[in-house]
Structures are given as structure tokens and as C-alpha cells.
């Protein structure tokens, strides 16, 4: 079954008899794990009610561009940013024409214009309308603009005619939508990723840790898997579920994380250290709960192994990516870590003041020895995909096709 776990799919419904299939499409997108929001054009509401679409999507349906209540909730720009993919199903001949012209005269066309997400359309219309030169010209225009076209199928139509113009079935639309997330950029590669905090025990009930939730690292693991990699995620203690189709190894301490990474790194072509690893651990771990005694108490700490630096120092080191979590002088500190840990690429982020740790969104400064680029603030899931794309490009530039022979 196609997987869309945690993907944000904005389902646009334009006016046409095939709108009756939109309810099934919304339901099957959700079955595949997607979060679905729906925009309906005014014409679409003549064929299927917003109440039906609300019931199957689990959210109120967006209809009007200039709706004060809707704008106070998730406004049209926010909706455009929220979407990972906008799927317009059915897409009528009129909607295709408006998309080709770049119109912004209703909510659906405006959001399509305002989004950076992939827009896919599932055309549905009478076969004569489909074959019309005007429709084919509009299709060519939107294709050139990067819009994906799903279908249409051929067969008997609601109007009694036979030919091309039938909207694809919901299951086919879900499969095609899921395929949009599989770039294949990391096909055949093995990747080891660390994520989350570490827990350095003081006694059976206390320890030293930090605020890492694991969200960034888990999102990167999912994005790498979607890009075709075989992923091993070595995770410190988090409240998150294991990402699908990712081999997840749960550890507690930095030493355990180090050992788990080194047990699996020999097969890996890429290592990404996202975990917030404790630099120090208590020199002694008490077997019993430590009792309160004096007014003050000193803790002796000792250095933990540096996992990232140890991977980069391997004789057959993988392409090694580190993170830098900084509260100030982001670029300067990150460059120092890039050099001192001898890694290929560093992804630097600000932390503290609700940034980085635990947050749903993040931004990254990517620094290697040739380039520096900024990945702007966005949901960690989207940021992770952008990061994986950058890593795949750099990896290919460094090793080309040779790598499979070198490290297999
Ligand atoms: O988990 P979230 O709540 O989503 O938050 C994400 C994040 C802020 C934790 C993440 O984006 C991030 O910045 N991770 C790195 C945190 C960190 O420990 O940074 P650092 O600058 O202290 O360490 C530099 C690099 O060395 C990191 O790649 C770290 O994994 C690695 N390191 C550090 C110490 C150590 N003993 N071993 C290591 O491998």
C-alpha cells in the first residue's frame, strides 16, 4: 500500500460530476497516513456537499478566498505553506484553463499560485472537451510550469460518451501522490542517522539530558528513506514512534549511541549526526538513589566520545554530515566544528528561545568547504527533505557513480 505518513495533502475539488469520487480520495489519502485538508470551488459544492468532505477529511472545508473566519484560522497563505502536495481532483477544463493563466480569483487557484508545494491535477471532463486544442494547450502550459498530470483514464463517461477524460480512481491517485515523495536520489545507499537526546545516568532515577525531541532527526530519517536509502536510525530516548521502514535502534547514553553507530557504519555511505549528544557524563553512577546530604554538592563529569568525529576519522569514512546547535555566532561556531571534526558538511541551527529544540519548524545554514546556503524556516518534515536533496547533490558531486563499487 502507498505510504503518505504525516504528509500534508491539500485536496482541491473543482466542479464536475467526478467530484463524487473526491470523498473516496480523501478517505484513502487518510488511510495511507496523510493529513488531508480540502478546498472546494463554488461549482464543486453543486456536486458534493462541504459537509461530506468535512466528515471524510476530519477538518472544516475551505471555500472562500475572502472569508474572515477562515483567514483567522488557517489563512490562504498558511494553507499554501502547509501543503506538501496540492492534489486537485477532479480538475475541470475550466480549472485547468485558470491554472494555465495563473488566475487568483478564487481560493483554490490562489493557493495553487501561492504555494511552493508540488501541484498535481487529475483532469475529469467530457472526451471532446479533453481533446479540444484549448485544453491541450492549457495542459502543455501547466506541465511546463511543473504541474503533474494524473490521468485521465479512458472509458465510458457520465455523459454517455466513450473516450479519454475519466478521472483516475482514488487508489490510483493515492499511489501517484505517494510516488511524488520518492525522489530516488539516494537509491541503493545505506545511511546511518543519530537523533534525539542522550541520557547520562547519575543514579537509577536521575540523569543528565537535554531538550531534543528527536523531531528533526526522525524527519531526516523518513526523508532519506523516501529518497530510496536504507536507513538505520540510532535514537536516544524520545516520545516519537519509530519512522516507518526505518530500522530504529533505541539507546540511552552517548557511549551506547557511539557503539550502535560503529556496529553499523561499515556498510554506510552517508552518516548524519543530528543527535544532541551529551559531551560529558557523570564520572560515577550510583547503584542506589543518591540521598540528599549537604547544602551543596559537586558532580564530577567526564568526556563522552565524540561520535561524529570518530565516524569522520574512519579509514573508509562515509560522507559525514554534522549539526551545530548554537545560541550565537552561528556561522563562526559551525565552521569551527566543520574543521575540528573534519566532516564534509555541517547543518547549523539556532537553539534556545523556543528555536531548534522541540519546535515544529526550523531553519538551517548549510556550510561545506565550497558553499554556504540557507534553508529557510519551515516545518521540520519539509526542511528534512530539502536537506536530503542537498546532501544527495553533494554526495553525487563528490563520489559520482564510483561509490557503489568503492564501499560495497
Ligand atoms: O530533536 P529536536 O527537538 O527536533 O531538535 C533538533 C536539534 C536542535 C537537536 C538538531 O537540529 C541539532 O542541532 N542537533 C545537534 C545538537 C548538538 O548536540 O549540537 P552540537 O553543536 O553540540 O554538536 C555538534 C555535532 O557533534 C552534532 O552533529 C552532534 O550530533 C555531534 N556530537 C556532539 C557531541 C558528541 N559527544 N558526539 C557527537 O557526535
Amino acid at each position: 500500500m502507498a505510504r503518505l505518513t504525516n504528509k500534508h495533502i491539500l485536496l482541491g475539488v473543482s466542479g464536475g460530476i467526478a467530484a463524487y469520487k473526491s470523498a473516496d480520495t480523501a478517505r484513502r489519502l487518510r488511510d495511507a497516513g496523510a493529513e488531508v485538508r480540502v478546498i472546494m470551488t463554488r461549482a464543486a459544492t453543486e456536486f458534493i456537499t462541504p459537509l461530506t468532505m468535512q466528515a471524510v477529511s476530519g477538518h472544516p472545508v475551505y471555500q472562500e478566498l475572502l472569508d474572515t473566519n477562515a483567514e483567522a484560522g488557517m489563512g490562504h497563505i498558511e494553507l499554501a505553506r502547509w501543503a506538501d502536495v496540492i492534489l486537485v481532483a477532479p480538475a475541470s477544463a475550466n480549472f485547468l484553463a485558470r491554472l494555465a493563466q495563473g488566475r487568483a480569483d478564487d481560493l483554490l487557484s490562489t493557493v495553487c499560485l501561492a504555494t511552493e508545494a508540488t501541484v498535481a491535477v487529475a483532469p475529469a471532463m467530457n472526451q471532446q472537451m479533453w481533446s479540444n486544442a484549448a485544453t491541450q494547450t492549457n495542459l502543455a502550459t501547466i506541465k511546463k510550469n511543473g504541474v503533474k498530470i494524473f490521468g485521465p483514464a479512458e472509458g465510458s463517461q457520465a455523459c454517455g460518451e466513450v473516450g479519454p477524460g475519466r478521472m483516475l480512481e482514488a487508489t490510483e491517485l493515492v499511489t501517484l501522490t505517494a510516488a511524488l515523495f520518492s525522489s530516488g536520489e539516494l537509491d541503493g545507499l545505506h545511511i546511518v542517522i543519530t537523533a534525539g537526546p542522550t541520557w547520562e545516568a547519575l543514579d537509577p532515577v536521575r540523569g543528565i539530558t537535554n531538550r531534543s525531541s528527536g523531531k528533526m532527526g526522525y524527519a531526516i530519517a523518513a526523508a532519506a528513506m523516501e529518497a530510496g536509502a536504507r536507513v538505520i536510525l540510532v535514537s536516544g530516548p524520545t516520545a516519537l514512534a519509530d519512522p516507518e521502514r526505518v530500522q530504529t535502534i533505541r539507546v540511552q547514553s552517548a557511549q551506547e549511541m557511539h557503539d550502535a553507530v560503529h556496529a553499523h557504519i561499515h556498510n554506510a555511505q552517508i552518516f548524519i549526526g543530528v543527535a544532541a549528544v551529551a559531551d560529558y557524563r557523570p564520572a560515577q553512577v550510583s547503584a542506589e538513589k543518591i540521598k540528599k546530604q549537604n547544602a551543596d554538592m559537586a558532580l564530577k563529569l567526564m568526556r563522552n566520545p565524540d561520535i561524529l568525529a570518530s565516524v569522520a576519522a574512519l579509514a573508509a569514512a562515509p560522507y559525514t554530515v554534522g549539526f551545530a546547535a548554537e545560541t550565537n555566532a552561528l556561522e563562526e561556531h559551525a565552521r569551527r566544528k566543520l574543521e575540528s571534526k573534519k566532516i564534509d558538511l555541517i547543518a547549523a541551527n539556532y537553539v534556545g528561545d523556543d528555536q531548534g529544540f522541540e519546535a515544529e519548524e526550523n531553519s538551517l545554514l548549510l556550510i561545506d568547504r565550497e558553499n554556504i546556503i540557507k534553508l529557510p524556516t519551515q516545518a521540520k518534515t519539509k526542511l528534512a527533505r530539502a536537506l536530503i536533496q542537498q546532501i544527495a547533490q553533494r554526495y553525487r558531486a563528490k563520489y559520482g557513480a564510483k561509490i557503489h563499487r568503492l564501499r560495497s
Side-chain angles (χ1 to χ4, degrees):
M1 187 177 122
R3 300 277 175 187
L4 284 165
T5 311
N6 298 331
K7 300 294 179 300
H8 292 178
I9 310 296
L10 189 53
L11 178 62
V13 186
S14 69
I17 183 62
Y20 80 90
K21 292 185 185 174
S22 304
D24 193 28
T25 306
R27 193 176 65 81
R28 288 181 190 271
L29 287 167
R30 288 185 76 193
D31 287 349
E35 199 179 320
V36 178
R37 305 280 171 123
V38 177
I39 297 181
M40 296 178 76
T41 64
R42 199 162 298 165
T45 63
E46 301 289 335
F47 293 92
I48 184 167
T49 68
L51 196 58
T52 302
M53 294 309 293
Q54 173 171 323
V56 290
S57 68
H59 293 282
V61 169
Y62 301 88
Q63 298 177 65
E64 299 297 332
L65 180 55
L66 302 172
D67 177 333
T68 331
N69 288 337
E71 289 291 312
M74 194 187 276
H76 65 280
I77 297 296
E78 252 176 293
L79 261 180
R81 285 201 196 119
W82 174 87
D84 292 318
V85 163
I86 299 180
L87 169 64
V88 184
S92 65
N94 180 45
F95 180 76
L96 297 182
R98 288 168 43 236
L99 196 59
Q101 286 171 19
R103 300 281 284 269
D105 50 8
D106 70 356
L107 183 59
L108 185 55
S109 56
T110 304
V111 169
C112 287
L113 209 55
T115 194
E116 281 184 7
T118 302
V119 177
V121 296
M125 65 198 74
N126 162 273
Q127 53 94 19
Q128 200 58 52
M129 290 168 80
W130 171 253
S131 308
N132 189 290
T135 303
Q136 292 303 314
T137 305
N138 291 332
L139 269 173
T141 303
I142 62 174
K143 251 193 216 170
K144 188 161 68 65
N145 293 346
V147 173
K148 309 287 177 204
I149 318 291
F150 293 169
E154 287 199 28
S156 60
Q157 302 197 305
C159 53
E161 295 181 15
V162 178
R166 272 168 66 104
M167 188 170 96
L168 294 184
E169 297 305 322
T171 49
E172 296 171 292
L173 293 178
V174 173
T175 304
L176 290 168
T177 305
L180 295 175
F181 292 94
S182 315
S183 65
E185 282 169 311
L186 296 177
D187 264 351
L189 297 183
H190 292 196
I191 302 197
V192 175
I193 298 172
T194 65
T198 60
W199 170 264
E200 309 298 333
L202 264 168
D203 70 15
V205 291
R206 304 188 185 96
I208 299 173
T209 189
N210 59 65
R211 289 173 49 197
S212 171
S213 63
K215 285 176 196 162
M216 191 72 247
Y218 281 51
I220 293 169
M225 184 277 296
E226 279 164 14
R230 205 189 92 189
V231 182
I232 293 183
L233 174 66
V234 182
S235 171
T238 71
L240 303 177
D242 295 357
E244 283 175 23
R245 288 178 286 165
V246 165
Q247 183 185 344
T248 305
I249 301 169
R250 300 271 179 176
V251 297
Q252 297 281 317
S253 66
Q255 186 63 54
E256 285 172 20
M257 186 173 274
H258 171 276
D259 295 349
V261 166
H262 281 277
H264 292 93
I265 201 69
H266 52 281
N267 279 327
Q269 287 88 28
I270 298 177
F271 174 73
I272 313 176
V274 196
V277 186
D279 289 319
Y280 292 90
R281 65 177 181 274
Q284 287 193 329
V285 184
S286 168
E288 307 296 339
K289 186 179 167 207
I290 299 168
K291 295 289 175 217
K292 170 167 66 190
Q293 288 170 351
N294 301 331
D296 57 9
M297 176 182 170
L299 269 183
K300 187 163 181 220
L301 301 176
M302 57 193 283
R303 278 290 286 271
N304 269 327
D306 189 313
I307 303 166
L308 185 63
S310 69
V311 168
L314 290 172
Y319 184 83
T320 306
V321 182
F323 266 64
E326 310 294 343
T327 52
N328 67 317
L330 189 63
E331 183 180 340
E332 196 186 321
H333 290 311
R335 277 196 192 280
R336 209 168 292 148
K337 285 177 183 167
L338 179 77
E339 295 309 330
S340 66
K341 299 189 187 225
K342 298 191 170 53
I343 58 177
D344 294 289
L345 173 69
I346 194 142
N349 48 192
Y350 276 114
V351 291
D353 291 337
D354 296 331
Q355 298 182 95
F357 286 99
E358 295 174 316
E360 292 302 325
E361 295 192 334
N362 198 12
S363 63
L364 293 171
L365 202 57
L366 294 190
I367 308 171
D368 63 15
R369 287 173 188 82
E370 281 83 44
N371 284 303
I372 174 164
I373 66 158
K374 177 151 191 190
L375 300 179
T377 304
Q378 54 200 302
K380 283 180 176 171
T381 46
K382 280 193 180 179
L383 186 63
R385 279 179 228 132
L387 175 65
I388 285 297
Q389 219 174 32
Q390 291 292 330
I391 292 173
Q393 276 170 19
R394 285 168 171 76
Y395 176 82
R396 274 198 303 273
K398 183 164 177 180
Y399 297 105
K402 282 185 299 185
I403 192 67
H404 294 284
R405 274 183 277 120
L406 279 174
R407 296 192 57 85
S408 59

